[in-house]
Amino acid sequence: MQAKRIRCVGAVIRDGGGRLLLIRRGHPPGEGLWSLPGGRVEAGESDQDAVVREVGEETGLSAVPGAFLGAVERPAPDGAVFDIRDYEAVVTGGQLAAGDDAAEAVWVSPARLASLPVTPGLAEALTAWHVLPGPARQPGPARQPGPARQPGANPVSRRPE
């Protein structure tokens, strides 16, 4: 029997200074951990509509979803699987304020993100998708792997803050 799959989305939003928008989860799963704004896709809702809704509910900001970045699977309660699809997004308005499932909503630099307790696999996925600086690592389990890299090829250097 195949595990129940729960479709979810996440929004990767950066400001002009390269900071990333994060929320601190206020409820399980991952209560107290930092993550991207996002959540479950409702019945009949597109991924893009879910991104807009979740960003608004969790951060008070209006956003326009953009390019698909990648997908990850994470364990969910009762043996189910969260099937999370992350999209770039751009803020178009609103006032930053934590709401809905978010205990806090903040802009963080890549260096600051490295010191925060984040949801499992978040930093690895963002690095693999070139959102964060560093060597690309494959977040597991990814369903859309990129081209194979030769050891030492195309190193990505850490950007200064």
Side-chain angles (χ1 to χ4, degrees):
M1 183 168 142
Q2 192 161 22
K4 176 183 174 188
R5 301 183 67 75
I6 303 167
R7 198 166 60 129
C8 300
V9 295
V12 176
I13 302 174
R14 290 180 274 195
D15 69 4
R19 297 179 305 170
L20 190 64
L21 180 61
L22 294 181
I23 56 104
R24 188 167 57 83
R25 297 190 56 80
H27 302 285
E31 183 174 4
L33 298 177
W34 292 91
S35 191
L36 300 172
R40 295 176 190 205
V41 177
E42 296 177 356
E45 189 176 42
S46 71
D47 283 1
Q48 290 72 23
D49 288 343
V51 167
V52 170
R53 179 182 50 76
E54 287 288 344
V55 169
E57 288 176 357
E58 293 186 345
T59 70
L61 299 173
S62 301
V64 174
F68 170 76
L69 290 173
V72 296
E73 295 177 346
R74 299 290 180 249
D78 301 323
V81 174
F82 289 123
D83 179 12
I84 308 166
R85 298 175 55 84
D86 288 335
Y87 294 85
E88 289 181 325
V90 176
V91 171
T92 58
Q95 195 76 351
L96 183 61
D100 194 37
D101 292 341
E104 292 180 65
V106 297
W107 294 99
V108 299
S109 68
R112 172 99 167 95
L113 184 137
S115 70
L116 295 175
V118 298
T119 53
L122 177 63
E124 292 81 4
L126 293 175
T127 300
W129 300 333
H130 305 289
V131 172
L132 293 178
R137 293 186 298 262
Q138 187 66 29
R143 295 188 313 277
Q144 297 182 1
R149 293 179 179 247
Q150 297 297 320
N154 299 326
V156 178
S157 61
R158 195 157 187 74
R159 287 182 245 151
E161 290 196 347

